[in-house]
Amino acid sequence: MSRQASRLDAKKVNSEFLTLTYGALVTQMLRDFENVDDVNKQLERIGYNMGMRLIEDFLARTSAPRCLEMRETADRIQQAFRIYLNVQPTISNWSAASDEFSLLFDTNPLTEFVELPSDLSNLRYSAILSGCIRGALEMVQLEVQSWFVQDQLKGDNVTELRVKFVRRLEEAIPAGED
Amino acid sequence: MSEEIVFDCLHAEIVNYCLNNSKDQNDLGTLEYIGFTTGYRLIERLTRDVGRFKDELETMKFICTDFWTLIYKKQVDNLRTNNYGMYVVQDKAFRFLTRISPGSKQLEQAPKFVAFTCGLVRGALSNLGINSTVTAEVQTIPACRFHIEVNRG
Amino acid sequence: MAFCIAVIGKDNAPLYLATSDVERELDLQYHVHAALDVVEEKCVIGKGAPESKELYLGQLFSTENHKIYGFVTNSKIKFIVVIDSSNIALRENEVRAIFRNLHMLYTDAVCNPFYIPGEQLTFKKFDRAVQKLMSGNV
């Protein structure tokens, strides 16, 4: 029997399994909350939590040294997208002060099959991604803001995720130590 | 594999979301439903290049072997049927239970880590025309036994 | 290239129907309907030839003007394609290719989280792609 499905590409199946499960979560939330903004917030929150966990795996996997400036951070984020979602966003649109940049995606695996109904134009379907970046960076003492500037789901040519440096956080001192 | 940890994190978040959002902390209905709709859609893709199933047994075999291996990255350890529509799948190291330390307190928590999968299997079968009831039984973490009862009605 | 492409649900309710010849739409719908009976017959277990494991069911029947082909997915969704009998240039592997593409489009549509299985397929992406398939511009 197993000869039948062996033709299926395991990597593709993994990615589709993730995409479909995420889609099921988004539609469930739309049933649970009346307000689309609440759904956006929840998705961002879930991404934030996931980012906090994924960064540990990322650091262990890449044994990456500490980033000293945003340009290094941008490269690491790009690398993380390649490792975890098998996509390679382009880094661009740096601000003059080098504290703000964009990640441009030609494809977004999360939205591969999605066609947004017209009444959901304010849904930030992929909000989990911006949440993930925020959560992961907070674990390495970087507070950032992250939001979508363009989205292919809304008819834009690319999906653009903006990341802005806010401040460095103090090392958290473990409780019980002076 | 790298995407697997992403899925495992998402699964953990979905579990928390569903339980925090329901009035009853033991209500696993939403979680099961998210699994159901995922399984229903996923099987459409996974059976795209597969020949037509000739009967229930062939369909069940596909779900319990090919489907399981693709999703859970390992073969089931045991598959049995009583030939009256009851199928039992045993997985001695079930993916969503392997990160949990064994203990009686954790055992209490176990149902929430298997509900999504119960739905996933029920959804996949449903789209293939088999109406079923799927339950799971965890006796010692991370081993798990899924009972699939075909409702032949 | 094709006159009519139809997607029929598990319970034989039409989920999608596109025709390139609006004037003959009723006629074509009638063919689709008649085709479903043939599909049903072909799918009866143990009756078909050994090669009946294939999802592609081949030509179901033909009329003076049309040839009607069928395909059934493992999820019991039926695809019916009606083509012009006079179009002898269209070979069977091209008909197969139409079904293969349609199958892919259908699976993608089912994976859209906003599509509720069993309901009519009204999504733009799907419609545009099927229309292309029908005109042969793939």
Side-chain angles (χ1 to χ4, degrees), chain A residues 83-112:
Chain A
I83 295 176
Y84 297 111
L85 278 185
N86 203 20
V87 284
Q88 173 113 354
T90 313
I91 303 166
S92 76
N93 302 350
W94 280 97
S95 62
S98 283
D99 63 345
E100 206 179 317
F101 63 92
S102 290
L103 294 159
L104 301 179
F105 298 83
D106 292 332
T107 56
N108 174 355
L110 292 182
T111 59
E112 192 179 347

Side-chain angles (χ1 to χ4, degrees), chain B residues 45-115:
Chain B
R45 297 189 79 71
L46 298 187
T47 59
R48 196 165 59 189
D49 302 314
V50 172
R52 210 142 25 99
F53 297 123
K54 75 170 194 286
D55 53 17
E56 177 190 300
L57 187 65
E58 211 177 276
T59 312
M60 292 303 298
K61 264 190 181 164
F62 182 83
I63 295 294
C64 300
T65 56
D66 300 72
F67 178 76
W68 198 272
T69 312
L70 278 165
I71 301 300
Y72 294 108
K73 310 303 165 199
K74 65 186 284 296
Q75 289 182 342
V76 300
D77 294 295
N78 197 341
L79 168 62
R80 271 182 308 168
T81 172
N82 67 358
N83 294 320
Y84 292 99
M86 178 61 107
Y87 297 80
V88 181
V89 173
Q90 197 182 1
D91 190 333
K92 287 181 183 156
F94 180 58
R95 177 168 169 187
F96 298 138
L97 290 173
T98 48
R99 282 165 205 267
I100 302 164
S101 50
S104 58
K105 180 122 180 35
Q106 281 74 14
L107 201 58
E108 265 173 49
Q109 301 286 316
K112 68 183 190 189
F113 297 110
V114 295

Side-chain angles (χ1 to χ4, degrees), chain C residues 47-137:
Chain C
K47 231 184 156 188
E51 71 266 36
S52 67
K53 284 200 87 168
E54 251 200 296
L55 304 179
Y56 173 67
L57 300 173
Q59 184 174 320
L60 301 173
F61 66 95
S62 64
T63 67
E64 205 177 317
N65 302 317
H66 302 118
K67 282 183 189 164
I68 294 96
Y69 292 85
F71 185 102
V72 62
T73 70
N74 268 308
S75 54
K76 302 286 178 290
I77 303 295
K78 278 80 74 178
F79 301 146
I80 308 292
V81 169
V82 181
I83 63 166
D84 187 349
S85 320
S86 63
N87 186 354
I88 38 172
L90 194 71
R91 274 182 302 235
E92 186 170 356
N93 54 4
E94 291 172 73
V95 178
R96 276 177 187 269
I98 295 180
F99 279 118
R100 203 165 42 240
N101 280 315
L102 185 60
H103 195 188
M104 264 189 288
L105 295 174
Y106 174 75
T107 5
D108 282 1
V110 170
C111 290
N112 176 357
F114 297 104
Y115 172 63
I116 299 165
E119 294 201 346
Q120 301 257 321
L121 285 154
T122 53
F123 289 89
K124 286 192 206 99
K125 222 196 280 183
F126 180 78
D127 185 48
R128 268 199 302 267
V130 176
Q131 296 288 351
K132 253 191 187 169
L133 202 58
M134 206 151 66
S135 58
N137 301 320

